[in-house]
Amino acid sequence: MSTSPPFTGVVLEAVLERVTYVSEETGYTIARVATERSGQDLLTVVGALPGAQPGESLRLVGRWGSHPKYGRQFEVHSFTTVLPATIQGIERYLGSGLIKGIGPKMAGRIVEHFGVDTLRVIEEEPGRLIEVPGLGPKRTGMIGAAWEEQRAIKEVMVFLQDVGVSTSVAVRIYKQYGDASISVVRHQPYRLAADVWGIGFRTADTIAQAVGIPSDSPQRVQAGIQYTLSEAADNGHCYLPEPNLVADAAQILGVPPELVRTCLDELAAAEGVVREAVPNPSSEGGTIPAVYLVPFHRAETSLAGGLLRLLNTRADRMPAFATVEWDKALAWLRTRTGADLAEEQEQAVRLALTAKVAVLTGGPGCGKSFTVKSVITLAAAKKARIVLAAPTGRAAKRLTELSGHPATTVHRLLQLRPGGDATYDRDNPLDADLVVVDESSMLDLILANKLVKAVPDGAHLLLVGDVDQLPSVGAGEVLRDVLGAETIPRIRLTKIFRQAAQSGVVVNAHRINAGQAPLFGEHPDFFLFPVEDAEATAETVVDIVARRVPRRFGIPPRDIQVLTPMHRGPAGAGSLNTLLQQAIAPARDDVPERRQGARVFRIGDKVIQIRNNYEKGAAGVFNGTVGVVTALSPTDRKLTVRTDEDEDIDYDFDELDELQHAYAITVHRSQGSEYPAVVVPVAMSAYTLLQRNLLYTAVTRAKRLVVLAGSRKALAIAVRTAGTGRRYTALTYRLIAVRSPSRG
């Protein structure tokens, strides 16, 4: 392995005063620093400063350069964090929020008492901190422990510095392995990808190369095969055909396909993956060799077996509906709801109450909600125990309002525990006669399997959702696959009701779904702002959200959701969040804030959780949970989020990469939610994501108003592009094939 000569440059000792810009995509940073010689005049430094926080003393290695517009600046090649030596530096360092339990006032008291000896006292004699007025034994102990942890983390960070691992990742490595961190990183780097959230195979591979693991090592190739399957799962696939897997892994790893095949054989023999022949999705007849990660194979076979078990059991927890006089039942229902059911809706109600498993699908304005309410009303009249759930907190709230019965998220319903195991399962089923799951298009394979295992024999399961929306963020397309199996009873509502037909949102959603251009100028709730380039599109979106819609429709900015096809780019969620935050929640001297990489968190920010964390809150916090920052304490190094489920969740500062801003989110992340107003940038820069089901999903998230901003050409492409094809799944096949139910 060749190594380049070490970089030799100028060394600049400085205190980081403030960060003025960080690129979310590249990490490129512009910051202002103070040196002993600069006095009150701050110097500009540019380059990557991962994890560096205001108040820290840095030893920067780089070179001086000149920018044609901004003048002289120091270009950083590498840096290390050092302890300050002056009284002012020590006070600034301790008061910056780096050490839990010490804020600016307490830092002043500690430094006043110990002077330049302060850091030595904290390091070697932390018990002496009790000499400082206002510091008791409990807080003294907390400060000592926080200092010790920071020191240990710094050692790990120094070791990882050369491979570009960020501070937050170093913190997680230390929390996972403790004092064994450096040993694991040096000898078993591929463990990091499996054990530590935020470290994927590529980061682990970079570390492995740095510590000398050869590129053709079986350890590396097997980890690369599992990574390739994991990436496929992130893109929605439950398996990959073996030829695709071998070709993709060989390209990713830069090794011959023969080596990948050999390591795949070894991995399969060790039960690290599952091989199985499944029907070829691209041709009639024939099979392909499919390779699954173990959890996805187990979940797919178990889900199919579970659905067939529920469907075919002789037990019935709602036997009254097998013999009910439907004319009388529906007449009674009319007196309760004040409206007639259309013929399709009536069929759906009968199906849900007589079949053990049923699927109800249909687009906006076709009466799914009223049908569900009718099913619940009739079941309640027979004293059935009804359980209502949806994949997101917002969807569960909407289901509660619609039905008058309490609904919860699927995660909370199952009471998932750390590790992802559910409290309710086959051995401890839910106490339910009827289980209704709304927004079922969002159910991924793993969650759907957990849910079905918890439904007791004889109960009725009704899956409700719009199959034309985007499939789940996680692997699988459960709703579409279940609808593809004729063994599962289903009904599709197609009639648009008269009142809904007056809505531009409903009319244009159906037009988009049919591959027709939306109509503008005919409805007061659907608009297009034509803009050609992506930067101008982003500026227009901010203007629409911050000024135009609030002024004309009285909808406050926080109730307007920007939905974009992509995260990156000028009109992507990352850039738009920065611009929208500046417009809606700008920096104020009296409001504390915390910088985390390219993001700055402030009280009042809209945020979204981006990973499942079973350790947080009463029952975990899950990918897609939205909330608002309600408190932020630099002294306690924590931030509090009030979620849509009305729960207060605390985040330590080193956990903030679990959060992203949510002024703008991707369309995928909006699934299951509904907003008063939706603004959608449609730019040619998102060319590969201009797809019909993506635009359809975005439009159907709006209750009152849709505003599109962008290129007419991009809009036309999105409307006529049906999508990128199906995911690799075999659930439909397993539901049709004759097999005994699995207990997976």
Side-chain angles (χ1 to χ4, degrees):
M1 186 181 296
S2 63
T3 57
S4 55
F7 177 85
T8 55
V10 178
V11 175
L12 182 69
E13 304 270 359
V15 175
L16 181 59
E17 291 293 331
R18 66 175 179 267
V19 177
T20 56
Y21 169 79
V22 181
S23 166
E24 185 160 344
E25 296 180 22
T26 65
Y28 178 81
T29 302
I30 302 173
R32 303 279 279 166
V33 301
T35 66
E36 282 190 25
R37 297 176 64 182
S38 68
Q40 298 296 312
D41 296 326
L42 300 183
L43 307 176
T44 299
V45 300
V46 298
L49 295 172
Q53 294 291 335
E56 286 188 303
S57 294
L58 307 177
R59 180 172 292 122
L60 306 165
V61 179
R63 59 169 60 93
W64 287 102
S66 182
H67 189 279
K69 182 176 179 181
Y70 300 109
R72 193 167 186 253
Q73 55 190 28
F74 190 81
E75 298 166 359
V76 178
H77 177 268
S78 64
F79 78 98
T80 52
T81 309
V82 295
L83 294 178
T86 66
I87 285 180
Q88 293 87 347
I90 293 169
E91 184 174 339
R92 176 91 163 86
Y93 176 75
L94 289 180
S96 66
L98 286 163
I99 306 300
K100 196 170 188 174
I102 303 180
K105 290 183 180 177
M106 184 54 67
R109 283 192 219 156
I110 294 172
V111 173
E112 184 180 359
H113 188 81
F114 295 113
V116 292
D117 213 22
T118 295
L119 298 184
R120 187 199 64 77
V121 170
I122 297 175
E123 173 90 27
E124 300 173 9
E125 304 175 87
R128 285 188 59 196
L129 289 170
I130 203 167
E131 299 171 15
V132 178
L135 271 182
K138 183 177 178 181
R139 201 163 173 194
T140 298
M142 184 172 76
I143 292 169
W147 179 270
E148 188 64 31
E149 183 178 81
Q150 283 293 322
R151 187 179 66 170
I153 290 169
K154 291 284 191 212
E155 290 177 8
V156 177
M157 282 175 58
V158 168
F159 179 73
L160 294 174
Q161 189 97 43
D162 290 340
V163 292
V165 174
S166 69
T167 306
S168 57
V169 171
V171 169
R172 281 199 296 273
I173 291 173
Y174 179 77
K175 287 192 172 181
Q176 178 73 29
Y177 303 118
D179 293 339
S181 296
I182 292 176
S183 174
V184 170
V185 168
R186 182 174 279 131
H187 301 295
Q188 299 171 285
Y190 293 105
R191 275 183 63 186
L192 301 175
D195 294 349
V196 184
W197 179 77
I199 296 186
F201 170 81
R202 291 187 186 280
T203 300
D205 198 38
T206 303
I207 295 170
Q209 290 179 45
V211 298
I213 292 178
S215 62
D216 60 353
S217 157
Q219 175 191 358
R220 176 177 185 259
V221 177
Q222 290 186 13
I225 290 169
Q226 291 183 311
Y227 165 73
T228 305
L229 288 171
S230 179
E231 283 285 283
D234 288 344
N235 289 320
H237 300 294
C238 299
Y239 69 85
L240 279 180
E242 188 168 322
N244 301 38
L245 170 61
V246 170
D248 291 350
Q251 183 176 13
I252 288 169
L253 294 165
V255 299
E258 296 74 27
L259 178 59
V260 175
R261 290 191 193 95
T262 300
C263 289
L264 177 58
D265 290 341
E266 295 168 357
L267 198 57
E271 299 183 348
V273 296
V274 176
R275 278 171 159 152
E276 182 185 358
V278 302
N280 190 334
S282 59
S283 67
E284 290 293 328
T287 62
I288 56 171
V291 184
Y292 287 81
L293 289 172
V294 174
F296 295 104
H297 184 267
R298 188 176 294 149
E300 194 173 76
T301 54
S302 174
L303 175 57
L307 286 168
L308 294 174
R309 166 184 62 84
L310 292 176
L311 183 65
N312 298 322
T313 182
R314 292 184 177 180
D316 193 344
R317 296 174 71 113
M318 293 198 299
F321 290 104
T323 57
V324 73
E325 293 184 43
W326 282 103
D327 289 344
K328 290 183 179 178
L330 295 172
W332 175 86
L333 179 65
R334 193 179 306 117
T335 65
R336 296 298 300 269
T337 62
D340 285 315
L341 289 168
E343 185 178 346
E344 289 176 336
Q345 293 176 306
E346 185 179 315
Q347 292 172 10
V349 169
R350 292 189 185 205
L351 188 67
L353 294 171
T354 54
K356 309 292 175 40
V357 178
V359 182
L360 172 62
T361 190
C366 292
K368 287 198 307 294
S369 296
F370 185 68
T371 305
V372 170
K373 183 175 182 180
S374 300
V375 169
I376 293 167
T377 302
L378 283 170
K382 295 296 185 182
K383 302 293 189 289
R385 283 164 291 193
I386 300 166
V387 169
L388 307 180
T392 67
R394 286 194 173 207
K397 275 187 177 180
R398 198 169 68 245
L399 186 55
T400 300
E401 293 162 2
L402 153 79
S403 64
H405 285 257
T408 184
T409 62
V410 177
H411 296 94
R412 286 182 180 273
L413 173 67
L414 299 177
Q415 294 183 18
L416 298 185
R417 302 188 297 268
D421 291 330
T423 300
Y424 291 100
D425 55 18
R426 283 291 298 276
D427 299 320
N428 180 35
L430 298 162
D431 183 18
D433 303 322
L434 172 66
V435 178
V436 179
V437 185
D438 200 8
E439 297 286 356
S440 293
S441 62
M442 290 185 66
L443 285 178
D444 62 48
L445 178 66
I446 301 294
L447 186 59
N449 179 47
K450 293 180 193 297
L451 172 67
V452 168
K453 283 201 287 189
V455 178
D457 287 347
H460 292 231
L461 173 64
L462 176 61
L463 300 175
V464 183
D466 184 348
V467 73
D468 294 319
Q469 287 184 22
L470 289 170
S472 55
V473 174
E477 42 188 354
V478 172
L479 186 62
R480 185 180 296 277
D481 284 350
V482 172
L483 282 166
E486 294 181 359
T487 45
I488 305 296
R490 85 297 300 278
I491 193 160
R492 181 167 190 147
L493 303 180
T494 57
K495 177 187 174 185
I496 302 176
F497 286 87
R498 185 182 306 164
Q499 185 176 356
Q502 298 170 3
S503 161
V505 175
V506 171
V507 169
N508 283 323
H510 283 276
R511 288 183 64 86
I512 291 166
N513 200 31
Q516 300 170 345
L519 301 172
F520 300 103
E522 297 190 14
H523 299 93
D525 60 352
F526 206 97
F527 298 90
L528 171 67
F529 281 73
V531 193
E532 284 310 312
D533 68 273
E535 286 81 2
T537 296
E539 292 172 8
T540 301
V541 166
V542 174
D543 187 45
I544 290 167
V545 173
R547 287 171 284 278
R548 289 177 179 266
V549 169
R551 191 166 57 226
R552 179 165 174 182
F553 294 95
I555 301 174
R558 292 186 190 282
D559 288 343
I560 304 166
Q561 187 60 57
V562 176
L563 302 179
T564 177
M566 57 188 176
H567 187 78
R568 295 191 169 193
S575 174
L576 282 170
N577 270 314
T578 300
L579 297 172
L580 287 163
Q581 185 192 39
Q582 290 169 359
I584 297 169
R588 298 205 329 250
D589 290 340
D590 59 334
V591 176
E593 59 182 43
R594 169 68 180 185
R595 177 173 288 279
Q596 181 73 20
R599 303 185 185 107
V600 178
F601 292 98
R602 301 184 183 116
I603 293 173
D605 274 341
K606 284 170 68 173
V607 292
I608 187 168
Q609 173 84 9
I610 61 169
R611 68 170 289 226
N612 289 343
N613 188 331
Y614 300 99
E615 310 282 350
K616 284 199 167 297
V621 184
F622 300 96
N623 190 355
T625 299
V626 177
V628 175
V629 178
T630 55
L632 194 156
S633 171
T635 301
D636 296 331
R637 293 180 57 80
K638 79 175 183 182
L639 170 155
T640 303
V641 173
R642 181 80 167 175
T643 72
D644 272 356
E645 296 172 57
D646 299 322
E647 185 177 13
D648 290 320
I649 306 292
D650 289 336
Y651 292 82
D652 289 338
F653 281 175
D654 56 32
E655 298 174 313
L656 293 186
D657 50 0
E658 294 188 19
L659 294 174
Q660 288 180 354
H661 288 102
Y663 298 102
I665 60 175
T666 60
V667 180
H668 275 94
R669 290 201 174 279
S670 75
Q671 289 172 263
S673 295
E674 201 174 61
Y675 313 96
V678 163
V679 178
V680 186
V682 187
M684 287 301 294
S685 58
Y687 187 85
T688 58
L689 294 169
L690 295 174
Q691 297 166 17
R692 187 184 304 159
N693 63 348
L694 197 140
L695 181 60
Y696 173 76
T697 301
V699 167
T700 55
R701 301 304 87 210
K703 284 193 284 191
R704 290 174 51 191
L705 177 69
V706 169
V707 183
L708 306 181
S711 156
R712 290 185 186 274
K713 181 181 178 182
L715 177 59
I717 292 171
V719 169
R720 69 171 180 257
T721 304
T724 54
R726 296 292 300 274
R727 297 175 169 189
Y728 287 118
T729 72
L731 179 59
T732 299
Y733 152 70
R734 298 182 196 282
L735 288 168
I736 295 171
V738 179
R739 58 182 64 232
S740 58
S742 166
R743 286 185 63 89

